[in-house]
Amino acid sequence: MIKTALALSTLLLISGCAQNSNTAASGAPGSGTSTEQSEPHHQMTDQWVGRWIGVEGLFLEISKDEPAGPGHYRLHMRYGLDADQIGTFEGQATAEGIRFNRGDGPQLLRAGDGEATGMKWLLEKEDCLIVATGEGYCRD
């Protein structure tokens, strides 16, 4: 009798855990999915869509990734002078900016000014996006 009760209790616990993880994975409201978290932030990052210019031929082109939904972007960029430092990457809006991954690891694209880029050629610019000190793109 005790063994049967323990077995039933264990099955109930396991099935309860499985239901909770399935609910979270399903994208149900309140489940904390990445889409839910990005929606309020895409209003700011939607304003970044378009072409941004760096130094020495570097550039960043941001477009909305419509099939992926609000807050998702395609980032086409030349981010270095080497031949392999160009590509298109998927990005997602966050409270801090747009998160994306490329060959040199996870990155965060955030708003700033020319001074924040750390590059003297962009010092006077006011509307810029920065990946890291020494990598920034600005609009006139």
Side-chain angles (χ1 to χ4, degrees):
M1 180 78 170
I2 292 176
K3 287 183 181 180
T4 304
L6 278 174
L8 286 174
S9 297
T10 303
L11 283 174
L12 285 172
L13 284 172
I14 291 171
S15 66
C17 290
Q19 285 178 338
N20 285 342
S21 66
N22 287 341
T23 302
S26 72
S31 66
T33 62
S34 59
T35 301
E36 176 184 313
Q37 292 170 357
S38 70
E39 286 187 30
H41 309 299
H42 74 84
Q43 293 171 351
M44 173 187 67
T45 52
D46 278 358
Q47 297 174 25
W48 299 355
V49 169
R51 187 169 177 89
W52 299 76
I53 305 299
V55 297
E56 298 185 27
L58 305 185
F59 66 87
L60 165 65
E61 293 173 351
I62 302 174
S63 59
K64 290 182 182 181
D65 189 353
E66 298 289 347
H72 293 268
Y73 303 93
R74 307 287 287 162
L75 310 174
H76 181 64
M77 59 194 330
R78 172 169 286 289
Y79 56 96
L81 300 178
D82 294 340
D84 65 344
Q85 292 180 310
I86 188 170
T88 302
F89 310 97
E90 295 176 4
Q92 185 171 354
T94 68
E96 298 84 27
I98 298 176
R99 291 207 177 276
F100 66 100
N101 290 307
R102 63 182 185 199
D104 54 345
Q107 306 293 331
L108 174 66
L109 185 64
R110 64 193 189 288
D113 59 14
E115 187 174 339
T117 68
M119 297 184 290
K120 65 181 180 182
W121 302 276
L122 301 176
L123 267 177
E124 302 300 318
K125 304 289 185 181
E126 293 182 17
D127 190 14
C128 301
L129 297 176
I130 298 111
V131 175
T133 302
E135 183 184 353
Y137 309 88
C138 300
R139 289 182 172 161
D140 288 330

